[in-house]
Amino acid sequence: MHDQRAQFLLELTGRYFADKEVRQFYYRLENNKFFFNPETFPESDDERCLDQLIYTFDVIGWAVRTGSISISEAQIFAFQAVKVLENLEVTKYLLDLDDHYKKDRRPTPAHGDAKFFVATLNAGHFNS
């Protein structure tokens, strides 16, 4: 089982760092050069890049929540996950997304597993 978890993390890490455009977007976000505008954001390259980052953290959060990997094993993504999910502009996007989900009668919050991952990291639950 440990080998499967290690393989999962290696594959996820490879995909996470493989897309140069996503990495460039991450650095813009990290340096506070990304600004969410609900009028221009939909279907933009920024939306694609941000969604790819958040979905990666969704997968990690789901894996932690279900016990597929431990929070300690997922810690390799901690810095990036916190930087992305706690960014003020990303928070604006996620709140906007929650509004759309509510209007469409979809479960909220949007990207709940990514939020769970960051909340778990912030709570310092690093057992196992």
Side-chain angles (χ1 to χ4, degrees):
M1 185 66 99
H2 180 71
D3 289 342
Q4 289 175 333
R5 291 191 308 250
Q7 186 64 35
F8 169 78
L9 289 169
L10 283 171
E11 288 175 10
L12 197 56
T13 303
R15 282 188 304 213
Y16 182 78
F17 289 102
D19 190 321
K20 182 180 177 183
E21 189 178 359
V22 171
R23 297 304 308 150
Q24 288 173 338
F25 174 81
Y26 169 80
Y27 293 123
R28 280 185 41 232
L29 189 148
E30 182 182 36
N31 292 306
N32 297 314
K33 294 181 179 176
F34 162 70
F35 301 97
F36 173 69
N37 178 337
E39 301 302 317
T40 60
F41 189 71
E43 299 181 25
S44 68
D45 288 338
D46 282 352
E47 181 182 34
R48 183 187 62 77
C49 291
L50 181 55
D51 283 349
Q52 187 171 335
L53 286 169
I54 295 173
Y55 279 108
T56 297
F57 302 132
D58 267 332
V59 170
I60 296 165
W62 173 85
V64 169
R65 186 175 50 75
T66 61
S68 300
I69 61 173
S70 71
I71 191 68
S72 294
E73 291 167 323
Q75 240 182 301
I76 190 170
F77 293 99
F79 181 81
Q80 290 83 9
V82 170
K83 280 289 188 184
V84 171
L85 273 291
E86 291 185 352
N87 177 282
L88 180 59
E89 297 299 315
V90 173
T91 300
K92 290 176 187 177
Y93 167 57
L94 292 173
L95 289 171
D96 185 66
L97 207 53
D98 282 345
D99 287 343
H100 288 286
Y101 276 33
K102 288 174 188 171
K103 288 176 187 170
D104 294 341
R105 296 189 179 130
R106 294 169 59 188
T108 57
H111 298 291
D113 284 326
K115 291 175 182 178
F116 168 82
F117 177 44
V118 169
T120 305
L121 289 167
N122 286 337
H125 296 235
F126 294 103
N127 302 358
S128 60

